[in-house]
Amino acid sequence: VIASLEPLIAEFTGSQEEAPRAIGVACAGQIDPTTGAVVYAPNLGWHDVPLAARLKETFHLPVVVENDVRAAAWGEFAFGAGEGRGTLIAIFVGTGVGSGAVLAGALWRGAGNVAGEVGHTQVVADGLPCRCGRRGCLEQYVSGSGFQRRLDAAAHGGRRSRLLEAHGGEAARVTALDVYEAAGAGDELARELWDDAERYLVMAAANYVTLVNPDVLVLGGGVIETVPALFEAVVRAVPALTTLVAGRALRIERARLGDLSGLIGAAALATPA
Ligand SMILES: [Zn+2]
């Protein structure tokens, strides 16, 4: 990863008229907030990689490494749906469920830089096992990977479904949009999965709003982008499921920066105004 990252940074910084002031990196995983080291990133297979130190040494510039979802929340706060002020919660639903929050203008990191992990809050007591080692996490019910795991378990349990048959019995080929469309077409298994997804996303978002009382709740990520009904379900249900005042104060918006939110957020964190 570093061998492809460094030439890319060199190429980009060399092609700009203005000399770069700093390097901002949005990286998946747990990031040490003081050293910018990647403590653990399961997607990259990284343990204790001193990413910020390494880039500082190569480029002789200040380097800020932030978790990709926190960086994306900051990007949406500063340049997207948050319009740069107040308190914002961002929930991203894609392969997994990630989230970041900005409280009164400051990125919320928590004691160990892992604050806001709404995907691993429990929505079902003793529910489905999660890769984090616990059970009943939101991510198991709402994400693309969660749908696939549930479909796979249903297939192995001998459950029949047109949705699965249409994909050769391979759950890994089924997308969130497939689940949504099959639910609409009367597939019983797809209906169960989709109802759970709406119900638990709404529940988790409403609880989050009740706790934080944000100005804006931003929803983004691949599943939100491809299935508008999920965003609409949150808009419809969340204001009534939180406290009266929190519901009145709340704006619910789609993410505006798409895949660029993490990049823009990391760049903004590295070069504060
Ligand atoms: Zn979990």
Side-chain angles (χ1 to χ4, degrees):
V1 171
I2 289 174
S4 49
L5 181 63
E6 286 186 338
L8 206 66
I9 296 172
E11 189 189 324
F12 181 73
T13 53
S15 69
Q16 303 302 303
E17 274 179 30
E18 242 181 277
R21 282 197 281 145
I23 297 170
V25 183
C27 181
Q30 274 170 262
I31 313 297
D32 185 306
T34 37
T35 64
V38 180
V39 180
Y40 177 47
N43 298 350
L44 298 166
W46 284 8
H47 281 275
D48 298 317
V49 174
L51 184 58
R54 163 81 188 242
L55 295 176
K56 252 178 228 165
E57 203 181 287
T58 308
F59 294 100
H60 309 289
L61 285 168
V63 178
V64 169
V65 178
E66 186 52 76
N67 167 272
D68 56 346
V69 183
R70 243 79 68 208
W74 186 257
E76 283 295 335
F77 172 76
F79 297 104
E83 295 165 357
R85 57 195 143 77
T87 290
L88 165 146
I89 293 170
I91 302 176
F92 299 96
V93 184
T95 311
V97 177
S99 154
V102 177
L103 306 183
L107 187 62
W108 184 34
R109 291 190 169 90
N113 205 22
V114 294
E117 288 284 359
V118 75
H120 296 286
T121 57
Q122 277 186 291
V123 291
V124 179
D126 303 320
L128 297 170
C130 182
R131 64 190 164 90
C132 73
R134 290 177 299 275
R135 284 180 170 273
C137 295
L138 178 66
E139 185 166 291
Q140 294 306 315
Y141 299 89
V142 185
S143 65
S145 64
F147 286 137
Q148 291 176 349
R149 273 189 293 273
R150 292 188 74 184
L151 284 166
D152 200 42
H156 280 92
R159 189 124 179 235
R160 298 195 52 146
S161 151
R162 269 174 292 159
L163 172 62
L164 270 167
E165 281 157 23
H167 292 83
E170 286 180 51
R173 289 174 46 204
V174 178
T175 66
L177 181 61
D178 295 329
V179 176
Y180 172 70
E181 287 177 347
D187 186 289
E188 207 179 295
L189 177 60
R191 182 82 262 164
E192 274 172 38
L193 263 54
W194 192 260
D195 285 349
D196 279 354
E198 280 197 3
R199 177 179 173 213
Y200 294 127
L201 179 62
V202 161
M203 183 196 283
N207 288 343
Y208 208 161
V209 167
T210 301
L211 283 171
V212 174
N213 181 202
D215 298 279
V216 57
L217 165 64
V218 177
L219 291 160
V223 173
I224 296 288
E225 279 169 28
T226 53
V227 191
L230 196 54
F231 177 78
E232 285 151 20
V234 170
V235 170
R236 224 173 23 247
V238 164
L241 290 175
T242 182
T243 55
L244 185 66
V245 177
R248 274 188 194 151
L250 184 67
R251 281 191 292 126
I252 304 176
E253 304 263 354
R254 290 172 183 283
R256 293 188 192 160
L257 304 177
D259 288 345
L260 295 177
S261 56
L263 284 179
I264 292 172
L269 286 165
T271 52

